Structures are given as structure tokens and as C-alpha cells.
Amino acid sequence: MIRKYVYGNPIPTPAVVQNIEAEEDSVQYLTELEMNGKIILNYSMENDDIVYGLGEANRGLNKRGGLYRSFCSDEPNQTEDKQSLYGAHNFIVITGMISVGFFVDCASEVTFDIGYTSSNILNITPGCGDFTIYVIEGRSAYDIVKQFRKLIGRSYIAPKWAFGYQQSRWSYANEDEVREVVKKHRQNGVPLDAVYLDIDYMDGYKDFTVSEERFPAFPEFVKEMREQGIHLVPIIDAGVKIEDGYPIYEEGRQYQLFCKRADGSDFVAGVWPGKTHFPDFMNSNARMWFGSKYKTFIDIGIEGFWNDMNEPAMFFTPEGVAEAKQYLDNFDFNTNEPWKFFELKDKLTGLSNRMKDYESFFHNMDGRIVRHDSVHNLYGANMTRAAGEAFEQIAPDKRFLLFSRSSYIGSHRWGGVWTGDNQSWWSHLLLNIKMMPSLNMCGFLYTGADLGGFGCNCTRDLLMRWLGFGIFTPLMRNHAALGTRKQECYSFGDTEDFRSIISIRYSLIPYLYSEYMKACLNDDMMFKPLSFVYPSDNFARTVEDQLVVGESIMIAPIYEQNAVGRYVYLPEDMLLVVFKSSSVRRYQIMKKGMHYIQAAVNEVPLFVLKNKLLPLCRTAQSTDALDTSMFEIIAFTDDNIEYMMYEDDGISKNYDDPAHYVPFAIKDMDGVFGAVSPKKIVKLALF
Ligand code: GLC
């Protein structure tokens, strides 16, 4: 049951696809308070209530105890105290004696104080008085999530090749560096499907250009890579360089497609290319115009993109620099008030992403002029929409890979997200694990983090453990920042262990892709907290570092340095499978309860659920080369069971064809249990 309440005159957002009549009476479950002219929606939590949601947000799966500010932020230093990350996903579910969900559809910032100020009080404070709130009642948290997912519409569906392993770095600066990456993966037998082009592929960081010096024959190069099974994925940044003669700058100015200052001039901010203008993604003409530019690359065979810097991130504005200069000029270096130096430092470091700058430019929302801060959280989402809608025009029957850094609920229908600039820290591996189900709750299914960590130097063991988790995430991309230690699999000496771990991914792809597709097509989650699957198990409710992935497996990733194993809670009897490589495994049936399981740094444990089966194919060097005519089955059952695998060509969009569903079954055939399927079953491990 979903009820809708409208406050003031909300700016339309693309979040919701269902038409629901607004209620006339006051909002259920929440008490309206007012403080400093702002509405606060207040809820009293019970001691045992769990609060799920908020998608790409900091801290745990249970959000209790934290203060979260939904305000898309360029935040690479994701320490525990940070309140805002790159996405704004204003959906929460409270579950305990009763379960209820709230979605605050609000284009400006929203604060969620979830027991931070007072442990049992939840306060939701929208940044302005114009917003819509949806109240969702249901039998359980999971039921509420499923209703919410129907409300916001079907998630973006990635092509199957995007389930392959992908290698990125800021930056592989020229053709030869990219060739080298591919060669080293292929030589070492490490599977690979995509290499990313970060900002240096461009000419002067200008969107939709290619540096002729670094990539002198780009179309031929794209083709050469495709022949080797590699997709090149270029980055597209939000800011358009100000440069006379650069067509995109000239067109944007001529047709008034950039964000404006109050005086009507085009707003200026410094990003990678130096001074830029921001396309007004809130405007449908600007979206259509910017979206059409992707065709330049699509025409030469590019099939995937990542949209970046779209919070939008600003290194500085001329106004901010002028203010800081003036402050510096007036600064008394003979002061005996030491805190003044901190003020000075803040003035200079605070030049980036200043609130004052976000308050100083305007959008033309098809006739309605709005100040940026009142729609801040929609900017990146509308950049994703610009690209997604363009792809539908350019090649309506084809899927493209598309994911963004900044996002709002609604943009999950046009693209996925990566979780932005994390660090090579063990704590960020854990954050990645905890964030996956929250992102799924909010509709983001094609998602993943920079594996190995973006900032800081990665170590061999961290990368290996992170890949040990990353082999389950739809986006499996190793990405690292400029100036950090090399992080490709071959950068740490021997590659054998990396080859083994990534090979496991490829043998899991039919299962993972199937579970991903079913989750997309049924508005469901691929990564679930244990409590969603075992709702009556009180201990399972508290587990945050184990996840159920699809219908057949539970994972318990190891995320601590030098650990030789970990404690795992089993809500029922399960089959432990420890993968040493795609074909070398050990099995152990384990009873419900707490166990310590061992898995060396080069091993990946997973658990097959009771009465479920896991199909595995033979590993390959790229997704194109996967042979899905033959399967090995691991099953944990003493009864007849069935698994329905979703399989399609991975690129076209006729999702609803019943032929895409392939049954696998364990059946009693004249007293002997065996596996049956239209596929060839080469091996059965039945427990
Ligand atoms: C941003 C992105 C990062 C990218 C870098 C250079 O920090 O988040 O992934 O490598 O910009 O383009």
C-alpha cells in the first residue's frame, strides 16, 4: 500500500513512474514539526527497529546512529564521519514490530537524522518546503522494497559483456598503453572484457574529442580492440571546456544550453579542462543536444560510457577565487590569533564545491527558472538521462553500458552507478559490501566500486580480497587514481592467483547475469541482506557482512588484512564451496549456526543454500568466448529442485521472450537423483 503526500509545489523529478493520487489528510506515521522555518518529519523508533535504505550512503546496512545529508557530493575522502557521498537516494525502510517505508522525493538536499541526535528519534528534514513523500506499508522490509521498486520503474539493463572483468586507470594515456594492458592480461591468461579511457584520451579534456597525438587512428583502434574481445569505455565529463572554435562550446552558447548566472551570463567553473560551462541537463533541449553527441563515438563502435564529475564537481569558480584572493590580501600574518590560520586554510581548500557557488547559478527547466541548489540532486541524474534517452534514439534495439558517478532515484532507469572515489583501504572493501543491498533497494542494480580502491596505494592482498568480493558485483572494474601504485593484476609479481580468482567470475557469469536479469525484470534485488531471506531469524537481522546473491548462494567475503578465514553465521544448513580456481574447489556441508571458515587469500568461499543449485560454465578469456551450452551443477538437496536460468544474447532488448528461460532440475529418476536440463550437464556435484 503506497500513499502519497505533497508539500508545497515540488519541482518534478524523474523518480516515480506510477500515478498515485495525493492524500488530503496529514501524513501517516510521521509527526510534522517545524524548526528554523523547515519542516521536520519525525518518527519514534523502537529499540530493535532496523533502518535500511539510502542507497549510496556511508556506514552500515542498518543506518541507525548516523546523520546523513542527501546532497550529491564530490567526496573522495569517505571517512566514517562523512554525511554525503555521490548519490542522493532518499528511500528508507524501518522494520521491527511493524515495517514502513518512506521515500522523500525532493530535488534539493534532505537530511536524515537516524538516531544520531537522540537514539530512538528519526528526523527527516527536507531542505525546502516543496517535496513529495511516499509512505509504503507492507508485510516486511523486503515487501516494502519490492513495492517501492515498482513505484520507481524497471532498472536499467546492462549488456552481458559488462559482466566481464574490466580494467581502468587514470589514465592509460595512449594506444600503446592500452595495447599493453590487453596484452599483459591475455599473455597471463587473465580474462578481460573492457579497458577504460580516462580523461587523457581527450584533446585538452574536451568532451567528445580524441587526442590525435595519443590516439592517431581512434576508429581503427576501437576496431582492433573489439577484434581482441575488448570494449573501450570512454569517460564523459559534465563540464564543457570554454574554447573558441570548439563546436560543443560554440553550440551550447549559441543555443543557450548552459547553466546561467543571475545576470544571464553563462556560469563558469574550473574542472579538468580549466574553465568550463555546465550543460543545463535540467532542460530537455540541452539533454537532447548533449545526448546526441554520444553518437560520435557510437558511430565508430563504442558501446559503453561512464559519466563523471556530474554532482557537478567544481574545483573553483572565478567568484570564489576572487573572494579568497581578497581574504588573502587582507590577511594579517602578524596576527596572534592562531585560529585565523585555520580560517585562511579553509578559505583556500574550500574553493572547491562551495555551497555559495551552487547557490549562484540557474537552470531553465523548460521555461521554469530554478536556482541550482533547489535541484542539485537531479543534475547528474539528468546527465545519465540525456545519455540513456539518446541511446534509445540512436540504436533503439541495443543495450549500452552506461554508469554515472552522481545519481538520484529515477536515473536507475537509464544507467547504473559506480560508487566514486574510494580509497585502497580495507574499510572501503567493507563499505562496498554493505552498500550493495542498499543500492539495490533504491533501484541501482548495475553497480560496483573501484576494486582495489581508487586513491592510495593498493596492496596485493587487498586487491585479491577485494576481487574475491568483486567477482559477484555486476560492475567488476579495477580502477585507480593518477599517482597511485599500479594496480593491474600483473603489477604485483605473479599473476596466477589473480587469474584464478577472475576465472571464477567467468564461470559464475551465467548465474550472476541470470540473477541480475531476473532482478531487473521483476523489480527485485540481486544482493539481499540475510534478514530479507530469513525474516524470522533474529540473529540474521544483525548480520551486515554476509549477503545473499540471487536465489542460490550466500557470500561471506573476507575483508581483513592477514585474515586466514572468518566467522560466518548460517541461518540454515548450507553447502560451503571454497573456490581455489574455477575448477578446483573443496566442499563441506555445514550446519545452521556460527562457524569459523578458512579461506586463504587466493581462495573464494561461497555457500549454496539448502535446496538450491548453482550452475557453472567453463571459464573463458572474455564473455564472447563463454560456452553456455555445457554446465557443471553444484546442488545441495535431497529432493527434487529446479533452477530457472535467464539467458539471452546479452545485447538486444526483447527481454520478455519465454525462450530466455532455461530450466535446470535435480530429479529422482528411477530412484537415482540426477540433473536434467536442455543444456549439456558435464558434471554434477550433488550434496
Ligand atoms: C574523478 C573520477 C575518477 C577519475 C578521475 C579522472 O575523480 O571519480 O574515477 O579517474 O576523476 O577523470
Side-chain angles (χ1 to χ4, degrees):
M1 174 73 179
I2 305 183
R3 289 198 180 84
K4 172 180 170 179
Y5 302 87
V6 178
Y7 287 74
N9 180 19
I11 290 174
T13 80
V16 163
V17 295
Q18 282 177 1
N19 232 333
I20 295 179
E21 277 295 307
E23 304 286 328
E24 297 292 329
D25 48 356
S26 56
V27 64
Q28 275 182 312
Y29 295 97
L30 299 167
T31 312
E32 265 178 46
L33 309 171
E34 217 187 294
M35 210 199 286
N36 304 328
K38 282 188 178 164
I39 298 171
I40 300 175
L41 300 164
N42 165 278
Y43 183 92
S44 295
M45 297 182 286
E46 299 291 335
N47 284 339
D48 294 339
D49 280 351
I50 289 179
V51 182
Y52 291 114
L54 295 185
E56 188 181 329
N58 214 345
R59 301 167 58 95
L61 190 47
N62 181 353
K63 296 293 173 202
R64 273 190 87 147
L67 182 62
Y68 309 86
R69 178 174 171 244
S70 229
F71 186 80
C72 298
S73 299
D74 176 15
E75 181 50 84
N77 297 312
Q78 299 167 18
T79 46
E80 272 180 43
D81 57 323
K82 291 294 156 58
Q83 296 168 5
S84 309
L85 303 182
Y86 298 92
H89 308 148
N90 304 334
F91 169 63
I92 55 169
V93 187
I94 302 156
T95 180
M97 288 297 281
I98 62 155
S99 296
V100 60
F102 301 111
F103 171 50
V104 188
D105 193 9
C106 176
S108 72
E109 69 163 280
V110 181
T111 303
F112 293 84
D113 179 335
I114 308 181
Y116 169 79
T117 304
S118 172
S119 51
N120 282 355
I121 298 295
L122 186 154
N123 279 335
I124 304 172
T125 314
C128 66
D130 303 306
F131 60 91
T132 307
I133 180 158
Y134 295 85
V135 178
I136 312 174
E137 288 175 294
R139 292 186 306 280
S140 63
Y142 189 22
D143 176 44
I144 289 170
V145 168
K146 286 199 260 189
Q147 291 184 56
F148 175 63
R149 292 283 307 285
K150 289 221 157 24
L151 178 71
I152 61 173
R154 184 181 276 182
S155 299
Y156 153 82
I157 299 182
K160 190 171 180 181
W161 64 261
F163 276 71
Y165 180 56
Q166 315 190 37
Q167 183 60 51
S168 185
R169 181 171 180 85
W170 174 16
S171 292
Y172 300 123
N174 54 44
E175 283 185 353
D176 283 342
E177 283 192 20
V178 176
R179 281 196 188 100
E180 178 79 0
V181 172
V182 177
K183 193 170 108 199
K184 290 219 167 127
H185 279 84
R186 294 281 183 251
Q187 266 175 356
N188 288 297
V190 180
L192 185 69
D193 265 85
V195 177
Y196 281 67
L197 299 179
D198 207 325
I199 47 175
D200 295 290
Y201 80 87
M202 296 184 233
D203 171 19
Y205 306 126
K206 295 198 289 276
D207 277 338
F208 306 108
T209 68
V210 176
S211 158
E212 280 194 14
E213 196 188 312
R214 295 159 184 265
F215 294 88
F218 193 57
E220 290 76 12
F221 185 60
V222 174
K223 198 156 160 257
E224 176 191 323
M225 288 293 112
R226 274 307 294 125
E227 280 160 10
Q228 296 189 41
I230 300 295
H231 294 264
L232 291 179
V233 184
I235 195 169
I236 307 291
D237 280 346
V240 169
K241 184 177 169 78
I242 299 177
E243 186 181 279
D244 287 339
Y246 166 42
I248 299 193
Y249 161 74
E250 297 286 0
E251 287 169 19
R253 262 174 64 103
Q254 186 183 349
Y255 301 112
Q256 307 280 314
L257 299 168
F258 293 130
C259 298
K260 303 258 181 228
R261 297 188 177 107
D263 65 5
S265 61
D266 289 331
F267 174 73
V268 177
V271 203
W272 301 122
K275 288 187 183 161
T276 65
H277 291 320
F278 290 135
D280 187 356
F281 291 117
M282 303 302 297
N283 179 281
S284 57
N285 287 334
R287 281 200 297 276
M288 237 151 44
W289 162 73
F290 196 84
S292 71
K293 302 297 169 195
Y294 287 80
K295 190 165 185 300
T296 340
F297 285 147
I298 291 173
D299 284 347
I300 57 166
I302 295 284
E303 295 173 305
F305 300 89
W306 48 315
N307 283 349
D308 192 21
M309 306 304 275
N310 48 5
E311 293 70 31
M314 301 187 268
F315 299 158
F316 65 88
T317 59
E319 293 82 355
V321 171
E323 258 180 52
K325 261 194 191 148
Q326 199 182 21
Y327 188 86
L328 203 59
D329 287 347
N330 297 337
F331 193 78
D332 175 10
F333 282 90
N334 296 319
T335 180
N336 48 17
E337 294 171 294
W339 52 89
K340 291 271 180 205
F341 289 101
F342 293 109
E343 222 174 76
L344 172 71
K345 197 177 100 223
D346 289 349
K347 208 59 191 180
L348 298 177
T349 54
L351 275 176
S352 301
N353 306 322
R354 289 192 324 158
M355 200 56 207
K356 203 168 165 188
D357 291 324
Y358 288 129
E359 289 164 356
S360 74
F361 66 95
F362 295 81
H363 302 274
N364 179 346
M365 284 186 73
D366 299 348
R368 178 172 175 180
I369 307 297
V370 293
R371 203 172 77 179
H372 175 77
D373 55 319
S374 61
V375 290
H376 175 78
N377 287 339
L378 303 184
Y379 186 77
N382 275 303
M383 182 181 182
T384 308
R385 178 180 181 179
E389 288 183 339
F391 300 161
E392 281 158 24
Q393 295 297 316
I394 298 165
D397 301 324
K398 181 172 166 165
R399 286 181 245 172
F400 288 86
L401 171 61
L402 174 67
F403 58 88
S404 169
R405 198 170 71 171
S406 170
S407 59
Y408 182 79
I409 290 172
S411 64
H412 71 286
R413 298 199 300 279
W414 292 287
V417 290
W418 97 100
T419 56
D421 297 350
N422 57 5
Q423 307 285 335
S424 297
W425 298 340
W426 290 89
S427 60
H428 277 183
L429 163 53
L430 180 58
L431 183 64
N432 183 193
I433 297 166
K434 293 184 178 187
M435 219 186 256
M436 289 303 289
S438 311
L439 280 160
N440 277 201
M441 289 175 205
C442 295
F444 294 94
L445 294 188
Y446 189 80
T447 177
D450 287 349
L451 302 176
F454 175 72
C456 303
N457 291 328
C458 188
T459 57
R460 181 179 188 275
D461 56 347
L462 175 59
L463 180 60
M464 202 158 297
R465 288 295 193 200
W466 211 324
L467 291 173
F469 171 62
I471 63 169
F472 299 101
T473 63
L475 169 63
M476 186 191 179
R477 182 180 78 145
N478 174 343
H479 180 49
L482 184 74
T484 57
R485 176 185 187 185
K486 289 262 164 32
Q487 200 170 293
E488 296 77 12
C489 288
Y490 47 79
S491 310
F492 299 93
D494 65 301
T495 50
E496 197 186 324
D497 289 339
F498 289 106
R499 177 171 66 233
S500 302
I501 287 191
I502 296 167
S503 300
I504 303 167
R505 159 68 163 214
Y506 279 72
S507 60
L508 282 166
I509 283 178
Y511 171 75
L512 293 173
Y513 178 72
S514 163
E515 293 305 305
Y516 164 79
M517 290 300 292
K518 286 189 282 183
C520 289
L521 299 174
N522 299 314
D523 303 317
D524 206 339
M525 296 166 67
M526 179 179 171
F527 286 81
K528 286 173 230 156
L530 261 48
S531 62
F532 280 33
V533 184
Y534 305 97
S536 50
D537 183 323
N538 277 334
F539 192 79
R541 274 168 59 83
T542 64
V543 176
E544 296 223 343
D545 58 357
Q546 299 171 212
L547 302 171
V548 176
V549 184
E551 68 167 65
S552 300
I553 62 174
M554 180 185 84
I555 58 168
I558 295 169
Y559 50 84
E560 281 178 337
Q561 189 160 30
N562 298 323
V564 294
R566 58 163 286 173
Y567 282 98
V568 178
Y569 175 68
L570 306 189
E572 61 175 336
D573 294 358
M574 290 186 186
L575 173 68
L576 167 66
V577 188
V578 181
F579 286 73
K580 175 126 192 127
S581 69
S582 58
S583 54
V584 181
R585 299 165 218 135
R586 53 174 205 273
Y587 302 92
Q588 189 185 345
I589 294 175
M590 302 195 96
K591 291 276 170 217
K592 173 179 161 69
M594 190 65 90
H595 298 269
Y596 188 84
I597 58 144
Q598 294 195 331
V601 72
N602 58 356
E603 294 179 326
V604 180
L606 64 76
F607 296 83
V608 177
L609 270 49
K610 184 79 192 165
N611 288 324
K612 300 288 176 196
L613 69 76
L614 175 65
L616 295 170
C617 71
R618 258 185 60 188
T619 192
Q621 289 296 292
S622 66
T623 49
D624 291 345
L626 282 174
D627 177 357
T628 58
S629 66
M630 289 186 289
F631 281 88
E632 209 180 311
I633 305 288
I634 303 175
F636 180 39
T637 184
D638 46 17
D639 206 348
N640 294 337
I641 50 164
E642 198 174 278
Y643 173 73
M644 194 58 89
M645 188 165 83
Y646 178 95
E647 185 189 47
D648 63 14
D649 66 6
I651 198 80
S652 61
K653 291 182 173 173
N654 63 334
Y655 308 121
D656 298 326
D657 185 343
H660 294 331
Y661 291 88
V662 183
F664 285 80
I666 302 292
K667 277 202 172 124
D668 182 352
M669 295 173 294
D670 304 327
V672 184
F673 276 103
V676 271
S677 171
K679 301 281 184 185
K680 188 169 169 206
I681 295 181
V682 285
K683 206 166 151 194
L684 171 66
L686 183 59
F687 294 86

